[in-house]
Amino acid sequence: MIEAVIPLSFGDFPDDVQLCVLSFLRPSDLAAFACTCKRFEALHRHDQRLWFSLCHRRWGSKTLINKWGGGRISYKHLYRVLDEYDALIGFWRRFGDAPAPAAAPPPPLVFFEWGPFYITGSRVSPSKNMGYGVIKKPFLWMSIAPGGEMVNYLDPEGRAEVNAEDLAMAELGISESELIQVNVSFIGECHVVVEENLEVNVDPSSPNLRGEVSDDVYGSPPDRMKEIYQYLANKTSPSSRRQRRKEKEKQRQGRMRKWEPENFVKIVNCSPKPSRPLQGLWKGICDDMSLDFYLVSYDDVGGIACRKVGDFHRPLTYHGPIFWTPSLTFFDSPLSPEEDDLYNCRSHLRPADENQEIISTPDNGVVSHMLYINSSYDLVIPDLVGTTVNPRQVEGRIWQYRNGTFGFGFLRDDYIIDLKHIAINGHLLDTVEPNSGG
C-alpha cells in the first residue's frame, strides 16, 4: 500500500530558507503574507533578520546596511528611510534662482549617489582643459542618527572635510559656520526642495530663539496716562499685530537663515535603453574645444532632441536644441559609399592625448548604425528663418558606434562631436578634483 505524501508548508522550511524567500518580497506583499499566520505577522513586525535581509537584497551591493545609524536602529525603519533616499539617486537639475549666499551661481547639475552609510549630493560641471574630466563637488550629506532621525548637512562652499564616522554618529566636529543642517523634502516624485532647518540652525544664546519680538522693540510704556492709553491701543490694533508679525518674520530671516531654499527637478531618463539608445546625459568636446554636457531626449511626437545642459538656471525649454530630428529610422552598417565618405572626411572633436596628438577615431569607433538629422531652420539656426538657404545648413547625421556611444555632425561642418557617458551604473566617470579643472 502506497502512503500519501503530505506536502510541506512554507513554515516547515528552515528559518534561513524562509528569510531568503521573503527577502524577495516588497513590503506591501510581505504585509499581505503576514496576514496568513500569527507567527508570520510577528515576524513582519519585529524580526530584525527579516528586515535586514530585505534591505540587503535591495541595497546591499550599493551601501553598507549594518553601518547606517551606527548599526543601532531598526532595520524596518531603515528600509523606509532607504526607500525614500533611493528616489534621489541619479541626476537632478536646479531651477529658479541660485542660493543668495553663494559668491557665484553653482552648477545647475546635481548627482546623488550611495555612500557607505550615507547619501552624497554633488554639484557636477565640465572641467576646463582636462579632456573629458568631470568636476564633482560634494555639497550635501544625508544619513541617519543612532536615534533613527534623518540628518542632512549642507556645505555651502564645498570646503568642509566630513568624516563619515562622525556623520553616521551625528557628531560632526565642524563649526556651524561651515555646515548647515537642512531638510530635504519631496514635492511629488520628481521635485525636491533643500531648505535650511530653522529649528536647528539657531544660536541658543540668542534672546529671541523663536523669533519673538520683545516689547522693547516698540519702546517702554510711557509714564503719562494719555500716552499709556495710546500705547495700549497700538499694541492691540490689527495693524500693530500685522506689524509685529512682519517684524517676527524679518527677525527669523535676518538672524537665523543662512541658506536660501534650492529647488531641483529630476532628469528622469538620464541613461540609454535598448529601445532608446541615444537617450540620456552625455559629454562631448564642442567646436571651441571646451567640454560640455548634452541631454538627449525622445519627445512625445516621436522625435529626438539634443540640448546643452548649460551653466545657467533657466529651464531647459529656454535652450534651443543642438539638433532635432523626427526620424527614428536607423540605417545599419555597412553604409553606402556616399555615406562612408561623409563620415570619413570629417575630423573628430576630441581632447588631445598625452603626446598632444589629436585622436582621430573614437574608442571602438566602428559605425554600427546611422540616423539622419533633418532639423528645421527655426530650431537650429533661428536667424535663417524665412531665408533661402542650402538644406545642408541644417541636415546632418548621427553615427552610433559599436561601444554604445555616438557622434553627430552637420553637413555644413567638417567635424564630428563624439559623445561619451557621464555616468554608468550610478557612478560618475572621469572625475577630477575641483581645483584641477579650473
Side-chain angles (χ1 to χ4, degrees):
M1 183 176 179
I2 301 176
E3 296 182 0
V5 178
I6 300 176
L8 292 173
S9 67
F10 183 75
D12 293 328
F13 287 99
D15 288 348
D16 57 342
V17 175
Q18 294 182 35
L19 290 176
C20 180
V21 173
L22 294 176
S23 68
F24 286 93
L25 299 181
R26 303 287 291 188
S28 57
D29 300 324
L30 189 62
F33 172 77
C35 295
T36 63
C37 174
K38 287 185 177 181
R39 173 177 174 269
F40 294 138
E41 195 269 342
L43 191 73
H44 169 257
R45 286 180 178 272
H46 307 296
D47 195 283
Q48 282 281 77
R49 297 175 303 163
L50 173 60
W51 285 101
F52 175 83
S53 298
L54 265 73
C55 291
H56 191 270
R57 173 75 63 184
R58 187 170 174 188
W59 299 291
S61 62
K62 304 172 183 177
T63 187
L64 301 176
I65 301 300
N66 59 347
K67 294 292 186 179
W68 283 80
R72 299 200 296 267
I73 62 173
S74 161
Y75 288 119
K76 185 176 182 179
H77 173 66
L78 177 62
Y79 189 100
R80 290 195 294 264
V81 174
L82 296 187
D83 184 60
E84 182 174 342
Y85 280 159
D86 194 54
L88 281 171
I89 301 303
F91 285 98
W92 295 71
R93 194 174 191 277
R94 188 188 69 246
F95 72 93
D97 294 331
L109 200 62
V110 169
F111 183 68
F112 287 94
E113 60 186 330
W114 293 101
F117 31 85
Y118 53 88
I119 297 289
T120 304
S122 301
R123 302 191 191 275
V124 178
S125 59
S127 64
K128 297 179 180 179
N129 304 317
M130 294 291 292
Y132 284 108
V134 174
I135 297 176
K136 172 185 171 184
K137 193 173 185 180
F139 78 105
L140 180 63
W141 292 269
M142 307 171 64
S143 189
I144 305 175
E149 63 273 16
M150 300 168 67
V151 288
N152 311 309
Y153 290 94
L154 183 144
D155 178 10
E157 303 298 330
R159 294 177 298 183
E161 296 182 1
V162 175
N163 183 294
E165 291 287 347
D166 291 341
L167 179 62
M169 299 300 294
E171 296 174 352
L172 290 172
I174 300 173
S175 67
E176 290 183 2
S177 62
E178 293 178 347
L179 285 186
I180 301 172
Q181 190 162 346
V182 295
N183 295 323
V184 180
S185 307
F186 278 90
I187 302 178
E189 296 182 354
C190 299
H191 179 187
V192 161
V193 180
V194 179
E195 56 186 342
E196 183 178 353
N197 184 347
L198 293 177
E199 299 301 321
V200 175
N201 294 309
V202 296
D203 183 4
S205 63
S206 174
N208 294 310
L209 186 61
R210 299 182 182 275
E212 298 175 357
V213 181
S214 67
D215 292 341
D216 292 339
V217 174
Y218 303 97
S220 301
D223 293 331
R224 288 169 293 183
M225 186 61 64
K226 180 178 179 181
E227 293 183 4
I228 290 177
Y229 289 147
Q230 184 65 45
Y231 172 82
L232 294 176
N234 290 338
K235 289 283 289 184
T236 58
S237 67
S239 60
S240 179
R241 288 196 294 269
R242 287 194 295 268
Q243 181 181 359
R244 287 199 297 272
R245 284 197 295 267
K246 290 180 181 180
E247 292 294 335
K248 288 180 182 180
E249 183 63 24
K250 287 181 180 179
Q251 193 173 53
R252 284 177 63 86
Q253 293 182 358
R255 289 193 179 187
M256 294 187 289
R257 186 177 295 279
K258 303 176 184 177
W259 186 259
E260 294 300 321
E262 282 191 90
N263 291 267
F264 298 93
V265 290
K266 191 166 191 176
I267 301 178
V268 180
N269 298 315
C270 58
S271 299
K273 299 178 180 178
S275 60
R276 297 183 171 187
L278 308 183
Q279 170 182 281
L281 276 169
W282 305 83
K283 56 185 176 182
I285 304 298
C286 304
D287 53 357
D288 61 357
M289 299 308 294
S290 65
L291 182 68
D292 215 330
F293 294 158
Y294 297 81
L295 178 62
V296 180
S297 58
Y298 288 65
D299 56 35
D300 296 334
V301 297
I304 302 175
C306 174
R307 289 181 171 88
K308 288 185 180 180
V309 174
D311 276 343
F312 22 112
H313 59 267
R314 302 172 73 184
L316 284 174
T317 53
Y318 282 84
H319 308 320
I322 304 300
F323 66 77
W324 178 83
T325 176
S327 173
L328 298 181
T329 303
F330 279 91
F331 293 89
D332 296 336
S333 182
L335 304 176
S336 67
E338 293 79 7
E339 290 296 336
D340 274 336
D341 183 61
L342 279 177
Y343 175 76
N344 293 324
C345 71
R346 284 167 166 74
S347 60
H348 295 265
L349 297 183
R350 293 173 60 82
D353 64 6
E354 295 179 355
N355 297 322
Q356 301 300 315
E357 296 176 358
I358 299 298
I359 303 173
S360 60
T361 58
D363 299 334
N364 300 325
V366 178
V367 176
S368 59
H369 302 85
M370 184 270 293
L371 180 68
Y372 285 103
I373 295 177
N374 294 305
S375 301
S376 59
Y377 300 143
D378 57 334
L379 286 174
V380 178
I381 312 179
D383 294 340
L384 296 181
V385 176
T387 63
T388 303
V389 296
N390 190 325
R392 293 174 62 90
Q393 290 290 322
V394 290
E395 290 186 13
R397 302 288 188 270
I398 297 173
W399 295 278
Q400 186 179 12
Y401 307 126
R402 287 184 179 176
N403 65 352
T405 62
F406 69 96
F408 70 90
F410 294 96
L411 301 188
R412 66 177 185 265
D413 300 321
D414 60 354
Y415 56 81
I416 297 172
I417 297 178
D418 290 316
L419 301 185
K420 298 181 62 177
H421 297 284
I422 295 180
I424 294 181
N425 297 327
H427 298 284
L428 285 175
L429 304 177
D430 307 318
T431 57
V432 296
E433 294 295 327
N435 294 332
S436 63

